[in-house]
Amino acid sequence: MEYTQLGRAGVKVSRIVLGTMNFGPATDEDEAHRIMDRALELGVNFFDTANVYGHKPNQGWTEEIIGRWLASRPEARDRIVLATKVYGEMQQDDPNARGLSAYHIRAQIEASLRRLQTDRIDLYQFHHVDRTVQWEEIWQAVDVLVAQGKVVYTGSSNFAGWTIARANEQAAKRGGLGLVSEQSIYSLVNRHIELEVIPAAQHYGLGVIPWSPLAGGLLGGVLGKAAESGRRASPHMADAIEKHRAELEQYEALAASKGIAPAILGLAWILHQPGVTGPIIGPRTLSQLEDAVAALEVELSDTELKTLDELFPGPGGAAPEAYAW
């Protein structure tokens, strides 16, 4: 396993991040526990979840599964960096049960700690921008949680570059550490964050944690799988396949020429990108976890990286040079 610092924070995390969104809805509890056991064996020490995982009306289900795993393996708690999130709606009939108000943050940290059966959250992430709440209120709430020992670091998810700047400038005025990570959608197919989010993260010392690094499965070998199984993709995936068919044919051929699965190629590309801490993988099975970890062993040459850039071009670099001069 490879490890790196989480942005400018001193803590070291694995370059493969165990995402747990499938635990509960797609992966039963016994298999989820086996996946977490195997992740530890493989050296994966960065576990990511969210208070809303489990999906409506079962928000919190995933945290509960992780909590029972931690309770049955108390030695594991100090071996992992545990991340969860706050923002999403937890109750439809309560106007205060969502967002980043100090009221909601205080309520949800207690609920997450209870479900996870732990005394602290190592990385507490704001799951989305809340444009109705001032950063003075958010950081005041965080300062209390840090002083109480309930939160160690804070991060963001789905933030714009300017929002990262605003958040960390306000934190600095208060003498706080501010955000140490940003979790964004990022893959060969979706490279928007190269314009401003990654530059902002690098400037302010945030580690970038890509979610959906395989573009919802599009980079996971869909052409080969369809040919083998004869099954039709969902309408949404079918449209995406047709839009990118020419690129996907060359992409899957490149993976085959290297003797690796297309999914491993997609993760390897992410791991080669500047500023990236590590991609979040959301395994439904043990084999998917093990396949993802294999991406750490893949080296991509400058020629191969150039080929991938030509197949799935990004925005052209950082702003403003990407579109101006």
Side-chain angles (χ1 to χ4, degrees), residues 11 33-34 36 39 53 55 69 72 91 98 105 123 145 170-171 175 180 188 198 209 265:
V11 67
H33 286 193
R34 284 190 289 270
M36 288 186 280
Y53 288 176
H55 308 310
W69 179 77
S72 65
Q91 289 178 253
R98 64 171 299 163
I105 289 173
L123 178 64
L145 299 180
Q170 289 299 315
V180 301
L188 269 167
I198 289 180
I209 309 168
L265 177 59

Side-chain angles (χ1 to χ4, degrees), residues 63 92 107 209 285:
E63 285 188 332
Q92 290 184 323
I209 309 168
T285 64

Side-chain angles (χ1 to χ4, degrees), residues 12 66 112 167 200 227 270 274 296 310:
K12 290 181 172 59
I66 297 170
S112 285
I270 282 278
L296 291 166
E310 291 171 348

Side-chain angles (χ1 to χ4, degrees), residues 58-100:
N58 298 309
Q59 300 98 316
W61 187 10
T62 302
E63 285 188 332
E64 290 172 357
I65 289 172
I66 297 170
R68 286 188 286 270
W69 179 77
L70 287 171
S72 65
R73 298 157 178 81
E75 74 286 352
R77 181 61 189 90
D78 290 334
R79 295 179 59 194
I80 66 170
V81 177
L82 181 60
T84 193
K85 309 182 191 75
V86 60
Y87 173 85
E89 185 177 75
M90 298 300 287
Q91 289 178 253
Q92 290 184 323
D93 58 349
D94 184 350
N96 286 312
R98 64 171 299 163
L100 298 179

Side-chain angles (χ1 to χ4, degrees), residues 287-319:
S287 62
Q288 289 178 344
L289 168 66
E290 292 166 347
D291 287 347
V293 171
L296 291 166
E297 301 174 3
V298 176
E299 289 293 332
L300 297 177
S301 67
D302 290 342
T303 300
E304 290 167 334
L305 289 169
K306 182 179 179 182
T307 296
L308 291 169
D309 279 338
E310 291 171 348
L311 288 177
F312 301 99

